Amino acid sequence: MLVRLLKSKLHAVTVTEANLDYMGSITISREILEASGMLPFEEVHCSNFRNGERWTTYIISTHKPGVIGLNGPTAHLGKVGDRIIVMAYAAMGEGDAKFHQPKILVFGEGNQVVQRSIV
């Protein structure tokens, strides 16, 4: 049997742009993706601290540093300056799941990582 566990989490990352006239998704800087182990086009679940909105989308990467962008209809779920959580999950067998440790990044000003932890 496969179970789904948290793979990676971006905690309290700040939205830097919102673009309603876009096809959809969340844009995340390549350096943030590399630090978190998340991949372009990977499905993610997001949650907004300010308004409690939750949504599922996929990642588009950008070379621009520190970018977290809400695109298309998702731009209605948050605004520039909002702090959000972005979570990626992975399916694995129960044996692997017993030893799995998610990669969690906590963000501060300018979307700089202030804490890296494996829970």
Side-chain angles (χ1 to χ4, degrees):
M1 172 173 40
L2 295 177
V3 294
R4 289 181 49 85
L5 283 83
L6 181 67
K7 172 187 152 191
S8 305
K9 177 180 175 182
L10 309 178
H11 184 83
V13 70
T14 302
V15 174
T16 60
E17 54 189 52
N19 183 357
L20 185 59
D21 296 321
Y22 194 83
M23 295 179 73
S25 71
I26 186 169
T27 301
I28 302 176
S29 291
R30 193 166 280 173
E31 85 274 2
I32 293 173
L33 293 179
E34 289 173 2
S36 69
M38 293 179 181
L39 300 170
F41 307 109
E42 183 170 7
E43 178 183 297
V44 289
H45 296 233
C46 306
S47 182
N48 187 322
F49 280 98
R50 181 182 59 82
N51 60 22
E53 291 284 355
R54 294 179 64 91
W55 66 93
T56 302
T57 190
Y58 64 94
I59 297 169
I60 292 179
S61 67
T62 182
H63 292 288
K64 296 188 291 185
V67 169
I68 299 293
L70 305 183
N71 303 312
T74 300
H76 288 292
L77 303 178
K79 61 183 182 179
V80 172
D82 283 358
R83 292 173 46 219
I84 65 171
I85 299 171
V86 180
M87 299 158 283
Y89 295 86
M92 60 191 74
E94 289 183 36
D96 290 334
K98 290 178 183 177
F99 302 102
H100 173 70
Q101 297 295 313
K103 190 178 285 187
I104 298 173
L105 304 178
V106 179
F107 290 82
E109 292 293 320
N111 283 338
Q112 296 298 310
V113 176
V114 294
Q115 181 181 346
R116 297 171 190 262
S117 61
I118 298 176
V119 177

